[in-house]
Amino acid sequence: SRAVRAVSRARWQMAEEDLRRAIIFVPDEQTSYYNLGWLYQQTNRTDQAILAYRRALELAPDFSPAHSQLDMLLATTNTD
């Protein structure tokens, strides 16, 4: 998707806009929340990343990439 290409080129604002748009159109897609969480993580927005990963897991409790990233973030921050 265009959002993934934008992330790969560190075009964070464009990627964020595309991911938010994807979530509006398909709100039950865990991958969009996961990608948004990763973007937030890369741009040092830890609290937002945690929320996005948690939303991905609400939609798909067995989604291991979100578990891995969330566990890593929680292990390195004081946020619950």
Side-chain angles (χ1 to χ4, degrees):
S1 75
R2 189 174 102 159
V4 172
R5 286 190 306 273
V7 165
S8 70
R9 295 183 185 118
R11 294 182 179 162
W12 306 119
Q13 184 175 357
M14 179 191 299
E16 183 175 357
E17 290 168 4
D18 287 349
L19 289 166
R20 289 184 172 281
R21 196 172 303 115
I23 288 168
I24 289 169
F25 288 111
V26 187
D28 296 337
E29 173 56 47
Q30 76 274 3
T31 305
S32 294
Y33 286 98
Y34 170 79
N35 289 334
L36 190 59
W38 190 86
L39 181 147
Y40 289 147
Q41 191 174 348
Q42 298 306 304
T43 56
N44 299 313
R45 294 183 275 173
T46 303
D47 291 342
Q48 290 173 289
I50 289 169
L51 291 174
Y53 290 138
R54 284 183 172 160
R55 180 64 182 136
L57 291 169
E58 286 173 11
L59 295 170
D62 296 327
F63 188 48
S64 62
H67 275 291
S68 297
Q69 290 301 113
L70 180 59
D71 289 347
M72 183 184 67
L73 275 179
L74 293 176
T76 60
T77 65
N78 293 327
T79 306
D80 296 309

